[in-house]
Amino acid sequence: MRGRRTPARVIVISAFILKRLALSLVTLVLLSAIVFCVGQVLPGSVGRLLLGPFADHEAVEALNASLGLDRPLLVQYADWIWGFLRGDMGRSYMYEAPVQPFIVEALGNSLKLAAVAFVIVVPTAILGGVVAALNHNKPIDRIISIGGLTMTVLPEFVTGIILILVFGVWLKWLPISAAWPDGAGGFTQIHYLILPAMPLILVLFGYIARMARSGMIEALESDWTRTAVLKGLRWRTVIWRHVLRNALLPTITVIATQTGYLIGGLVVVETLFRYQGIGLLVFTAAKGKDIPMLLAGILVIGIVYTLATLIADLLCAVFDPRIRLGGRQ
Amino acid sequence: MNGNAENVLELDDLSVAYRVGGTDRLVLRNVSLRIGRGEAYGLVGESGCGKSTAALSVVRYLPRNGSVAGGHVRLDGKDIMGLDREELRRVRAEDLSMVYQDPAKALNPSIPIGRQLAEVFEIGGASAKEARSRAYEMLEKVQISDPARVMGGYPHQLSGGMQQRVGIAMALASDPKMLILDEPTTGLDATVEAEVLDLIGHLRREFSISILFISHNLAVVSRVCDRVGVLYAGMLVEEGPTDRVFRNPRHPYTVALLRCLPGGGRRKSSGGLDTIPGFLPGLGAIGEGCAFADRCGLATERCRTERPPLHDLDGQMSRCHFHDRAQSLPHTTRHAPDESREPPAPRRPVLRVQGLNKTYGRDRAGGGVAAVKDLSLELKAGQTLGLVGESGSGKTTFARTLLGLIEPDEGGRIELDGKELAERVGDRSFEQTKSLQIIFQNPDSALNRSHSVRGLIGRALRQLGGLRGAAMDRRLKELAGSVRLTDHHLSVSPRQLSGGLKQRVAIARAFAGDPSVVVCDEPTSALDVSVQAAILNLLVELQSERDVSYIFISHDLGVVRYLSDNVLVLYLGRVMEYGPSEEVFSGPHHPYTEALLSAASDIGDAEDGRIRLEGEIPSAAAPPSGCAFHTRCPRRIGSICDELDPPLKEAQSGHAIRCHIPADELAALQVQRPSTLSRPVSAERRDDNGRP
Ligand code: SF4
Ligand code: SF4
């Protein structure tokens, strides 16, 4: 621990990162296996599905064989993964075209939407939580806590519809469809995305603010905050230097895990606002029994989710020496 | 008395109230005390007496629901309560510092220690660079061996003792006039406690600082303080120079408190411990008369109607009508030696452990961390084996292996009632599981359910005793009676009980299946002394009634000596000494035992000639070569200690010591200083002799 970068310290940190990476990898392998199995047990033979109920048996078998569906499962799985890694995600039954470009575009769109939501919600929610905690049990705290809670329990489609009616139809401030005109610039795109992002923002605000608030309250009541105050530090310094850093650690994790929610929320919001994101894509694929599209979509969502959790863990480690350096031997 | 220049701190008629359920309840009542320049004042009392509230009102950091109901706190004549925000901050920055009970929590977990310490100098106007170098010096002053390393480290990387040194460094960094120590050594090992107390004593002289020392531990206070005040139910009931108060207490509460301590070499065979009957009055619920009247053996009608004033007895104060008779307070337990307690019949062994090892992270090459090494012992029916050693000595690992919660290495053998005990608790027979039970330090974890106490004990009786219906009810009544739980206690949820009562519930549960061995893991460490005395008495009674055997783990040597027939001293998982309690305590002892005894605080001990262990207990992952204790041994004789692991040799029959120094030589070396724990010290010894 002497100095900042002795080998021992580097080893501890890299061991930590490696462990997390390995864990994420295991998660992904499991996830892909599950997704693959789900694909196997979905009803109906693919050939039958494609050719329709009146095609004769031989034709169905022949198609299955040509699609490689008569090979052992493990081979099919390996094939699927190998293809996936090379960017070949199979062919969509519905569009009769490679899946990959659809996924890439939809993912890009969803990330844009999520980014707009996050950029707005994270700072405001943290600020809200911190302000609430600093005014514990005062009116401001009540307003933020109860308001946040209310918004969290309202389903997205309800808030979404209200928002469309108020801002899109009545006030006409914002476009009600997320589909921006072709060739629109960055600002225009954001302008189109604000309304669809709002339902997500409202739900997330409640969660994140609540976490930030409770983290703050706990930190404010801690013994080390007392130490800092009784040292004679200015209140501002106590908050900035001592309290915030520890208080917001759990919040970082919450933000990352909310990615999971975000995906569910995206399906609703994207459908409501007719936005070509990954949520809408997976939803349509499921409806149309477009299995390759469905599987690829779910796997991609899984990857995004795992990555987000990994990043959250690493961020926590950056801020929390107890995780970064491990305990005393 | 207003602003006497000689007094650094004055509490003047201070009352503090907490708002609970809409009403204000007084937790401090008209407390007045003064602390002179360079004086150390100890404020003692049991939990709930208001001592921490007193400390927090001095620094004006009362909890949200607390408020000052009257009186003043003056620091150097300045009224703390009248300061505005900025003035208060300056007072905290310059004049007033505090050291806290739990150093692990009092330091910010995510800021490097050097930074947290340098901060204090920066408040005082030092540049960042200057602050760093002064932080470094400060760490040297509190005798931290590698300050550069500690500066860049984080609190969780340090041991408790080191953390507390950092806490002290931080408190002294601003060169304050007044230092408040709130239970600074509670939760530390005795050896570490001794070092920290030494350090405080040493720095006190160097910085010529005034001290307010808050503690529940009378012995610790007696070692540090010039004067003490005893708090009871928020009132100062006795005050005076430390040795006068402890040698010649003039308030029945102080007398009773001193009698609860199992120090002074007392043994269970010489009779039970005195306790203080009844309970502390509820928050703010004191009637007209003396607050102690309900629990006082000297109380008369006058006590119940007329509140006693603080009598000034020539520098010693007592809030008792009958201060002149305080020491004639009747004993609550008989003191005569109980002959029937030593039955002549040879006792049968119930537990036998042979060659037990526990290595964590063992690899094929034989590496790994040896937490318990080659441990053998025998426990006879109705006897107690005391297990002592610092934290990290393997006591808890041993207890857990015994209970089957941790699997030991192959090769060892544990026998209970003559039958081999499977390694894992799941593989043990029902009979064996119920005969081997445990009582923990903190009963909460085992009891924290929404059940009523009756339900909890009932379930244990069904599971362990296999009882149902009327038979169970009968047994439950009997069991509750023997641990002194009333019907009222049985009907409430354990959460509503105090620590002592919870521990009684835990004991009742452990005894539900009529165990033959009960492991007691620090069962009284978290309790007040009067409650501790009652629990110890209870354990002794249950033992003589049921012939149960105990393995008693404790860091309090006075308690171990009182309770144990045999004692096992562990260091780094190795048995250093093993033998009959009296012989281990009276010596010759192993140098490690000697150091432990020397570190233990007992009231009235001389301060000179104490042995101190240098440094921390080495890591079990890299145990020292040769004698495991050689890195800290004050009696090390030379390279033989570094190279050769000494065998466990018999000093007297049944008393074995693992040291290269022969027992008779150890005895000769150790005779020079009287064994601290065998000296008659407490006030009751004096009144046994008929003198006040
Ligand atoms: S005043 Fe009475 S009740 Fe109170 S301590 Fe003295 S003798 Fe006991
Ligand atoms: S063998 Fe040597 S180092 Fe070990 S306890 Fe004895 S004297 Fe000390």
Side-chain angles (χ1 to χ4, degrees), chain B residues 590-591 627 629-630 633 635-637 641 646 658-661:
Chain B
H590 186 278
C627 171
F629 186 51
H630 86 249
C633 180
R635 301 232 179 258
R636 203 181 72 97
I637 43 178
C641 296
R658 187 189 295 281
C659 179
H660 287 303
I661 306 178

Side-chain angles (χ1 to χ4, degrees), chain B residues 26 33 38 78 133 173 212 244 298 355 438 441 478 515 560 569 586:
Chain B
L26 283 177
L33 58 87
K78 248 184 294 181
S133 70
L212 174 60
R244 275 180 68 186
L298 294 174
I438 185 162
Q441 169 174 1
E478 190 207 332
V560 170
V569 183
S586 57

